[in-house]
Amino acid sequence: MKITVATVKPFAPAAVAIIKETAEDAGYEFALLEKYESQNDLIEAAKNTEALIIRSDKATREVIEAGNRLKIIVRAGAGYDNIDLTAASEKGIIAMNTPGQNSNAVAELALGLMVFTARSKYNGKSGNELKGKKLGIHAYGNVGKLVAKIAQGFGMDVFAFDAFVPKEIIEADGVKALDSADELYSICQYVSLHIPSNEDTKQSIDYELLSKMPENATLVNTARKEVIHEDELLKLMAERDDFKYVSDIAPDKKTEFEEKFANRVFFTPKKMGAQTVEANLNAALASVKQIINFFENGDTTFQVNK
Ligand code: 3PG
């Protein structure tokens, strides 16, 4: 039985080493495919393994259908919008994520992006402080919860909206739970996105919602580019010179955003929210353990295609 790590964006070496060691200690073969150049490489890897560990790599129908020995795919991370779940279910392949394992890294980056933009991208000019400002957390999952905690340390006034998390859970953290996204965006100068990308959320962050944000608004996106309605955000930013957009995921229309609003946008060169040694170690170890636990004990706790 083989466990293959297939990552275009490699884990920290220590994380790869821990997967290899854990897999081999449990009697599994280990294979590594990093920084691969074509999707065909992933398809080939899928043909020759029982288990795949991926990051944002695209486990498309083609990859899944090629996996004749494949039994399980684990997305070492939170968002599993990169796995064709229908294709996996049709082939009887288990798909899992590793929720919470890289959340702290993403949460720290979200606050880092807020400081960076509030301080005029460290350009030497006067900026603003986060203390006392209203922060809206859009979706209160593992990352949203940690963003709230760190933001409270900064002295921010923290609000959240999550359609699926009971208000009492949010309020137990000293965060004000709101009834709607509309309310969140109307109240908060800073909004940090932590929603997944799916059929309901794609392009849902649109002109109508964003135009509710108060003066000197900053939208922080460490979630997914797909949730933003880019044309409508471009329109809003053209109308409002007080609106800033900072994102860990460059938009499809990156050049247009940068050409038009150079001082009001910032995009990381590649998605780096989860790109810390600590997050890599956590997610890598969880992935390999979940695979072994599935093969040895039939444990499907973190299955996302039930
Ligand atoms: C996630 O969904 O866990 C994050 O977006 C991290 O993705 P990455 O592993 O591709 O960096």
Side-chain angles (χ1 to χ4, degrees):
M1 295 257 263
K2 195 197 278 184
I3 299 176
T4 300
V5 172
T7 52
V8 164
K9 187 171 60 179
F11 287 122
V16 176
I18 204 124
I19 296 179
K20 184 174 188 298
E21 192 188 315
T22 310
E24 290 177 350
D25 282 355
Y28 292 77
E29 233 187 289
F30 169 80
L32 178 64
L33 171 70
E34 281 183 334
K35 295 189 201 165
Y36 56 91
E37 289 184 353
S38 122
Q39 185 70 2
N40 284 334
D41 299 338
L42 183 58
I43 293 171
E44 285 307 309
K47 280 183 191 165
N48 295 308
T49 195
E50 278 74 25
L52 261 184
I53 296 176
I54 57 171
R55 295 184 64 178
S56 293
D57 306 80
K58 294 189 181 3
T60 58
R61 177 171 285 279
E62 226 186 332
V63 171
I64 287 162
E65 285 182 353
N68 282 330
R69 293 162 46 186
L70 195 57
K71 303 279 181 299
I72 178 166
I73 302 173
V74 177
R75 191 279 188 248
Y80 46 88
D81 46 311
N82 52 325
I83 304 179
D84 187 329
L85 296 181
T86 311
S89 297
E90 278 170 22
K91 220 170 172 335
I93 292 171
I94 307 284
M96 291 186 185
N97 65 350
T98 64
Q101 300 295 343
N102 59 16
S103 305
N104 188 65
V106 181
E108 286 190 12
L109 188 82
L111 266 295
L113 288 171
M114 277 180 234
V115 175
F116 181 64
T117 181
R119 290 301 182 92
S120 318
K121 300 191 199 173
Y122 307 140
N123 67 359
K125 295 191 183 142
S126 181
N128 289 99
E129 296 173 28
L130 297 180
K131 188 176 177 184
K133 305 298 185 303
K134 291 185 169 63
L135 167 66
I137 298 178
H138 192 169
Y140 204 72
N142 291 313
V143 183
K145 200 176 166 66
L146 287 166
V147 168
K149 195 173 172 195
I150 304 171
Q152 285 165 336
F154 273 85
M156 296 186 90
D157 193 8
V158 186
F159 298 76
F161 167 67
D162 191 313
F164 306 98
V165 177
K167 275 189 164 185
E168 309 81 77
I169 304 253
I170 298 176
E171 301 209 319
D173 292 343
V175 174
K176 296 171 196 81
L178 300 176
D179 291 319
S180 67
D182 277 5
E183 217 184 326
L184 189 81
Y185 285 71
S186 304
I187 291 175
C188 298
Q189 180 187 346
Y190 288 85
V191 169
S192 191
L193 288 170
H194 302 292
I195 51 176
S197 170
N198 57 40
E199 285 323 305
D200 296 329
T201 62
K202 276 183 187 152
Q203 298 203 332
S204 64
I205 309 304
D206 58 10
Y207 182 88
E208 206 199 323
L209 192 59
L210 294 172
S211 58
K212 295 184 192 308
M213 288 181 75
E215 215 182 339
N216 294 321
T218 297
L219 177 67
V220 182
N221 185 4
T222 53
R224 290 290 182 271
K225 68 175 170 19
E226 290 81 2
V227 302
I228 304 287
H229 196 306
E230 292 187 12
D231 284 331
E232 296 192 8
L233 177 56
L234 282 162
K235 173 173 140 76
L236 179 81
M237 291 186 75
E239 289 172 13
R240 277 184 58 174
D241 63 8
D242 65 317
F243 198 104
K244 292 180 185 158
Y245 179 48
V246 283
S247 177
D248 183 31
I249 316 97
D252 291 335
K253 300 200 168 171
K254 173 178 187 279
T255 316
E256 196 174 338
F257 275 100
E258 287 177 342
E259 277 172 11
K260 290 185 171 160
F261 317 115
N263 297 327
R264 293 190 280 132
V265 294
F266 174 75
F267 309 121
T268 52
K270 66 176 168 182
K271 187 166 62 144
M272 51 182 297
Q275 203 59 334
T276 66
V277 173
E278 294 86 344
N280 285 174
L281 279 169
N282 292 341
L285 189 57
S287 306
V288 69
K289 280 189 171 168
Q290 285 174 215
I291 289 169
I292 294 169
N293 211 9
F294 166 69
F295 283 127
E296 305 301 324
N297 308 312
D299 189 330
T300 55
T301 305
F302 297 102
Q303 185 175 356
V304 290
N305 63 336
K306 274 182 183 156

